[in-house]
Every structure is written in C-alpha cells, then in structure tokens.
C-alpha cells in the first residue's frame, strides 16, 4: 500500500487533466440522473417530461462532441489524446462516431412514442428513456475504450441496457422469449470475451492496448494460444456486430422486440462496436513485427460468409422485421470490407456508410411501425394493395429500401461506392486475393438484396387485395418522420460531401 502513495499525485493530476476532454460523457451522466429523478418525482405522469428532458439533453451533448475537436487542436494532440491513465483514447474517429450515435439517439427518442404497441406498455415509457440515456453513455465509452478492462465494462454497460430494452414489453410472450434469448446469448458472449481477456492478461500482465507489455508479451507467447485468446475477444465484439457465427440471436430478438427497440439494436450498438473494433485492431495493425494472428484474413473470411449468410437468409423471410434483421447481418459483412482496409479512406468510408445505413434502416423500421399501427400489418403479404391507399408512407418506404439496397441516387449507393473504392485501392496496392473476393461478394450480395427488398414495393403497388381493413390509427407523425428521412437519404446521395466532409 505504501509503495503506491508516490504515484497518487501523478494519477490524480492525469485524471483532472482528462476531465475537460470527457465533457460529453459527464453531460450524459448528469442527464441520466435527471431523467431518473424526473421519473421518480412525477411517477406515471412523467413520460412526456422524461422524453423532453432526454431529447433536450442529447441536443446539449452534440455540441460538446464537436467542442472536443477544438480541444484536441488547442492541446496540440490532433492525432488523439489518452484519458484517465490510458483507459480511453479520444481522437477524431471516436468523435465522429459519437456524433453519429448522439444524432441517431435523438431521432430514436422521438420515434419511441409513436409505436402503439410500445406506448401501450402499462408502466409507460419513462423507465425506457432512462435506460436509453444510460446506453448512450456506454456507447460513448465503447468508441474510446483502449484498455481491455474499459472495453469489457463499456460492452457490459451497453449489454445490460439492451437486455432491459428488448424485454421492456413484458406482456408479450414472444418479447419475453426474445429477451431471455438475448440475455442468455449475451451472457455467454460476455463470458467468452472475458475469458479471452484473462488469457491476454495472463500472457502479458498488461491490459492496455497501447501501453505496457501487451504486444511484446504476446509475441513471446505460444502463437496458437494467442490466436485462441484474440479469437475469444473477437467473439465478444462480434456479438454486438452480429457477424457470422455469432449472429444467431438476431432474427428472434429483432422480431420479438418492439420495433423502435429493433431500430436501436440494429444501428447504435453496431456503430459503437465498429468503433471499438477499430481501436482494438489499431495496435496490432501498426505493430510491424506482429505475425501471430492475421486479422485481415480472419475478418475477410468472416465478412464474406456474413454477407452471403445474411443476404441469402433474408430472401426467405416473410416477416418485415425478420427480413430487416437478416439484412442488417448482411450490412455488417459489407461494412467489414472497409475495416479490413484499415486506412484513412477505408475508415472514412465506413463512417459514412454506417451513418447512411442507420438512417435508412431507422426509416424502414419506422414505416413498418406505421403499417403496424394503422392496419396491424407485420408481414409482407399484409402490405398488398396499400401503396395507393397510403401513398406518402409507401413511397418513402420504397426510397429508404432503395438506399438500403445501394441503388442510385441515394446515400446508400454513395456509401457502397466509397467502400468499394477503399477496398479497390488496397487491392491495387498489394493485389491481395481476399480484397478481390470481398469486392466480388459485395457486388453479388448487393444484387441478391434487391430480391428481398423489392418484395415490399411489389406488394404495396403491384398486388391487389379485396379485403381492406379499417384504419386503427393515422400515425401522421411517422409519415412526416419518414418523409424527412427519405429526403435526407436522397439529398445525401446527390450531395454526399455535406456529410462526408465531416468525417
């Protein structure tokens, strides 16, 4: 104990110096407490107030994200700054991902109340808003974590919030089943990841990715054992990314959860997990002597299999949410193409692609909510003949699906072009066969995706039904929401520099 006393002043000083670079997370912590206290003080009548506080708080956090760029420049650490004794790394990539997460979180906070089935929850949505803010804080930490301990804590923080969100609609048996499956699979993935972390620590006596003896120590250990440990950690990260072979939970959980929760799970945790994967890979990629585990080969194989499995499985689906679940798996595989390049253009392409994918995916699920609200339509056959009766929602649905497919002139097309360009640039440089296979698979699965995305417009506009149910709810908020997202998707496809320059 006495041996540690001389180090205390230096550690305290480093913590205090880190606080100005940690303001968005401090704001989120205060916001979490505010929403929680608001719920406790006002009880069942607090739902709208909690929603207002949560949305206003997120809007205050977003400027703090951009302020961090200025702080990095002023401190002369443009390439990044370690925080809290190298537990976190704040750099431009992390800031970009945090901005996307916060912007999408604000959009989703607006969307939650518009789902009739979720809104009908007997306890209201006040608790849900508290959970969401706690999850956003965990997502921020995931984007910056560069210590094996901080990585595990951040992932667990997001996981616990996700478990609660999936099982929030407890009166539904299928939701209960989905929540239980998610908890069991998530606990198994966390245990596997923690075992991998313990092996890495056992080999090296270090937890820091950029400090200590981690990489030199791993170079001295048995390559097979090191590969096993790194593979176990990748499984934990892959559970959040939902790539093959840790994707099996996705269809049931996405279908069983409330649609806004599905929109959350399919976008924000996935975006943060990609940021975490970038941080995890960085020391191994730039350590020239590293030969024990070929991340490029492993992630290329996973990306190819994930694209094939996700897209071909989606073709067989009839339920809209289940189809979009398998679609999200396919998009994960495509995004891994950009990760494998691991250069500036690849990371920028990945950031843009994830942002526009998330926007379009939220739009698609919001419009699925619209048809569930007005006609209780959950599968594609239920959409027959609705295109002319609900033209605004149907046209918006088609636009966001075009973007998810990656067709001109939408943002999805631009995102895929940027990813292909980054991969092709690497292929031109080293003629790696895996880069070529990734591009071929990406192109073929993009064509396959057209076969399942087109089923919705086909049923909306080209098929007829004699039985038309009475409208249960007009849900005009979702129509306006869908129109705004559709316009953004088209505008970002025509003028991608508006968003791409930010990244």
């Amino acid at each position: 104990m006495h041996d540690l006393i001389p180090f205390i002043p230096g550690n305290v000083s480093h913590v205090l110096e880190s606080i100005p670079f940690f303001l968005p997370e401090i704001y989120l912590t205060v916001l979490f407490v505010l929403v929680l206290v608001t719920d406790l003080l006002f009880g069942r009548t607090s739902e709208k107030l909690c929603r207002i506080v949560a949305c206003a708080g997120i809007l205050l956090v977003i400027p703090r994200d951009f302020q961090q760029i200025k702080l990095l420049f002023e401190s002369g650490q443009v390439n990044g700054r370690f925080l809290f004794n190298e537990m976190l790394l704040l750099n431009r990539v992390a800031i970009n991902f945090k901005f996307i997460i916060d912007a999408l979180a604000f959009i989703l906070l607006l969307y939650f109340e518009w789902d009739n089935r979720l809104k009908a929850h007997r306890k209201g949505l006040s608790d849900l808003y508290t959970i969401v803010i706690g999850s956003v804080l965990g997502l921020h930490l995931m984007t910056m974590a560069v210590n094996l301990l901080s990585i595990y804590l951040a992932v667990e923080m997001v996981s616990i919030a996700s478990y609660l969100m999936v099982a929030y609609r407890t009166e539904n048996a299928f939701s209960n089943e989905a929540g239980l499956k998610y908890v069991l699979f998530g606990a198994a993935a966390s245990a596997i990841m923690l075992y991998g972390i313990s092996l890495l620590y056992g080999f090296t006596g270090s937890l820091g990715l950029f400090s200590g003896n981690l990489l030199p120590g791993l170079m001295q250990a048995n390559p097979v054992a090191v590969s096993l440990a790194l593979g176990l950690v990748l499984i934990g990260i892959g559970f959040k990314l939902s790539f093959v072979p840790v994707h099996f939970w996705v269809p049931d959980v996405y279908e069983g959860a409330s649609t806004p929760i599905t929109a959350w799970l399919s976008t924000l945790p996935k975006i943060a997990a990609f940021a975490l994967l970038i941080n995890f890979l960085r020391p191994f990629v730039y350590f020239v002597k590293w030969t024990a585990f070929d991340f490029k080969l492993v992630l290329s194989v996973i990306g190819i299999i994930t694209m094939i499995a996700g897209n071909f499985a989606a073709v067989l689906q009839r339920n809209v949410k289940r189809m979009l679940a398998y679609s999200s798996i396919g998009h994960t595989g495509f995004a891994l193409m950009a990760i494998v390049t691991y250069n500036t253009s690849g990371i920028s392409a990945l950031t843009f692609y994830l942002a526009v994918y998330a926007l379009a995916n939220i739009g698609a699920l919001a419009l699925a909510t619209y048809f569930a609200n007005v006609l209780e339509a959950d599968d594609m056959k239920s959409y027959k003949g609705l295109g002319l009766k609900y033209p605004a929602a149907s046209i918006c649905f088609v636009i966001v699906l075009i973007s998810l497919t990656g067709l001109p002139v939408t943002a999805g097309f631009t995102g895929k072009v940027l990813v292909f360009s980054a991969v092709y640039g690497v292929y031109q440089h080293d003629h790696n066969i895996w880069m070529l296979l990734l591009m071929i698979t990406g192109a073929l699965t993009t064509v396959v995706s057209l076969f399942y995305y087109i089923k919705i417009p086909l049923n909306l506009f080209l098929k007829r039904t004699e039985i038309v149910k009475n409208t249960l709810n007009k849900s005009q908020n979702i129509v306006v929401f869908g129109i705004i997202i559709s316009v953004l998707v088209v505008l970002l496809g025509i003028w991608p520099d508006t968003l791409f320059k930010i990244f």
Side-chain angles (χ1 to χ4, degrees):
M1 181 65 180
H2 294 290
D3 295 338
L4 298 176
I5 292 176
F7 298 98
I8 292 176
N11 289 334
V12 171
S13 176
H14 195 275
V15 169
L16 293 175
E17 290 173 359
S18 300
I19 289 176
F21 297 88
F22 199 64
L23 280 180
E25 290 69 39
I26 294 173
Y27 273 56
L28 285 169
T29 304
V30 174
L31 180 59
F32 174 79
V33 175
L34 281 176
V35 178
L36 180 62
V37 170
T38 302
D39 182 25
L40 293 174
L41 290 177
F42 295 93
R44 293 180 63 86
T45 62
S46 66
E47 183 176 316
K48 288 186 178 180
L49 190 56
C50 286
R51 185 173 183 240
I52 292 170
V53 172
C55 290
I58 290 292
L59 288 178
L60 289 175
V61 170
I62 292 174
R64 302 286 84 77
D65 293 334
F66 286 110
Q67 189 178 28
Q68 291 183 314
I69 300 173
K70 183 180 177 182
L71 286 173
L72 288 177
F73 274 99
E74 290 176 350
S75 65
Q77 296 173 307
V78 182
N79 294 326
R81 179 188 176 95
F82 289 104
L83 307 179
F84 303 111
N85 295 306
E86 301 189 354
M87 294 292 287
L88 305 173
L89 173 62
L90 178 67
N91 56 17
R92 186 60 188 269
V93 174
I95 294 171
N96 289 341
F97 276 93
K98 287 197 290 184
F99 165 70
I100 294 171
I101 288 167
D102 292 342
L104 294 174
F106 175 76
I107 292 171
L108 286 165
L109 282 169
L110 295 177
Y111 166 33
F112 284 158
E113 195 183 47
W114 299 335
D115 184 273
N116 287 351
R117 296 171 183 174
L118 182 59
K119 191 178 180 181
H121 191 282
R122 63 182 181 274
K123 292 183 180 179
L125 301 183
S126 302
D127 294 336
L128 182 61
Y129 296 131
T130 307
I131 296 167
V132 164
I133 299 302
S135 179
V136 173
L137 175 58
L139 294 170
H140 272 231
L141 296 177
M142 281 179 67
T143 64
M144 298 187 292
V146 290
N147 182 286
L148 294 175
L149 180 59
S150 63
I151 287 173
Y152 180 74
L153 292 175
V155 169
E156 282 303 287
M157 189 172 180
V158 175
S159 296
I160 292 170
S162 300
Y163 303 152
L164 295 172
M165 293 167 74
V166 170
Y168 196 78
R169 201 179 64 186
T170 52
E171 72 279 1
N172 183 294
F174 194 38
S175 290
N176 284 337
E177 182 184 347
L180 181 60
K181 284 182 179 179
Y182 193 30
V183 170
L184 292 176
F185 292 146
S190 295
I192 290 169
M193 183 180 183
L194 189 59
Y195 185 57
I197 289 173
S198 67
L199 287 176
L200 294 177
Y201 180 71
F203 294 148
T204 64
S206 177
L207 290 171
L209 293 177
F210 293 90
S211 60
N213 188 48
L214 185 68
L215 266 68
L218 292 178
M219 291 293 293
Q220 302 301 318
N222 185 294
V224 177
V226 170
S227 297
L228 173 63
L230 292 172
L232 294 177
V233 175
L234 275 181
I235 286 174
I237 299 174
F239 180 80
K240 287 297 173 194
L241 289 173
S242 65
F243 59 55
V244 176
V246 285
H247 68 294
F248 41 80
W249 59 275
V250 173
D252 289 341
V253 172
Y254 282 20
E255 185 181 356
S258 300
T259 307
I261 304 304
T262 300
W264 179 280
L265 293 176
S266 63
T267 53
L268 271 69
K270 186 169 292 191
I271 291 169
F274 271 110
L276 178 60
L277 184 59
I278 291 170
N279 289 338
F280 182 73
L281 293 177
R282 180 169 293 163
F284 298 99
V285 170
Y286 291 115
F287 191 64
V288 292
K289 297 180 181 179
W290 180 256
T291 56
F293 189 82
D294 192 342
F295 282 101
K296 179 175 284 191
L297 172 62
V298 172
L299 292 176
S300 295
V301 173
I302 290 174
I304 290 170
I305 296 172
T306 302
M307 280 189 279
I308 293 171
N311 284 286
F312 278 91
V315 175
L316 306 175
Q317 306 308 310
R318 296 293 177 264
N319 182 278
V320 175
K321 286 170 66 177
R322 201 171 182 87
M323 180 270 283
L324 290 172
Y326 279 109
S327 160
S328 74
I329 295 171
H331 282 283
T332 295
F334 192 89
L336 284 173
M337 291 173 60
I339 285 282
V340 171
T341 65
Y342 214 94
N343 55 31
T344 304
S345 61
I347 301 303
S348 296
L350 173 68
T351 311
F352 182 91
Y353 180 78
L354 290 175
V356 298
Y357 154 73
L359 189 63
N361 201 57
I362 291 170
L365 286 164
L367 291 163
T369 293
Y370 174 79
F371 287 109
N373 283 353
V374 298
L375 293 167
E376 295 187 343
D378 292 316
D379 58 82
M380 297 179 197
K381 288 184 179 179
S382 303
Y383 289 179
K384 285 183 179 180
L386 299 181
L388 297 178
K389 187 174 182 181
Y390 305 101
S394 300
I395 291 170
C396 290
F397 213 154
V398 173
I399 292 171
V400 295
L401 290 174
I402 288 172
S403 182
L404 287 171
T405 308
L407 299 178
V409 291
T410 60
F413 172 75
T414 306
K416 289 202 170 187
V417 168
L418 290 171
V419 172
F420 276 122
S421 298
V423 177
Y424 183 67
V426 174
Y427 175 71
Q428 278 188 313
H429 182 262
D430 57 17
H431 295 285
N432 188 312
I433 186 65
W434 290 106
M435 296 293 104
L436 180 61
L437 291 175
L438 280 168
M439 287 189 290
I440 293 171
T441 307
L444 291 176
T445 51
T446 297
V447 175
V448 171
S449 69
L450 188 60
F451 284 91
Y452 57 82
Y453 283 132
I454 204 172
K455 289 180 182 179
I456 292 177
L458 180 68
N459 281 285
L460 285 172
F461 292 103
L462 298 181
K463 292 192 176 181
R464 296 287 180 266
T465 181
E466 295 179 0
I467 302 173
V468 180
K469 297 179 182 178
N470 293 324
T471 299
L472 301 177
N473 188 299
K474 290 186 178 180
S475 296
Q476 293 303 320
N477 288 337
I478 298 182
V479 176
V480 175
F481 186 69
I483 290 171
I484 292 172
I485 289 181
S486 301
V487 170
L488 284 174
V489 162
V490 173
L491 291 179
L492 289 174
I494 299 173
W495 294 290
D497 286 350
T498 307
L499 183 61
F500 193 65
K501 284 180 179 177
I502 298 177
F503 308 136

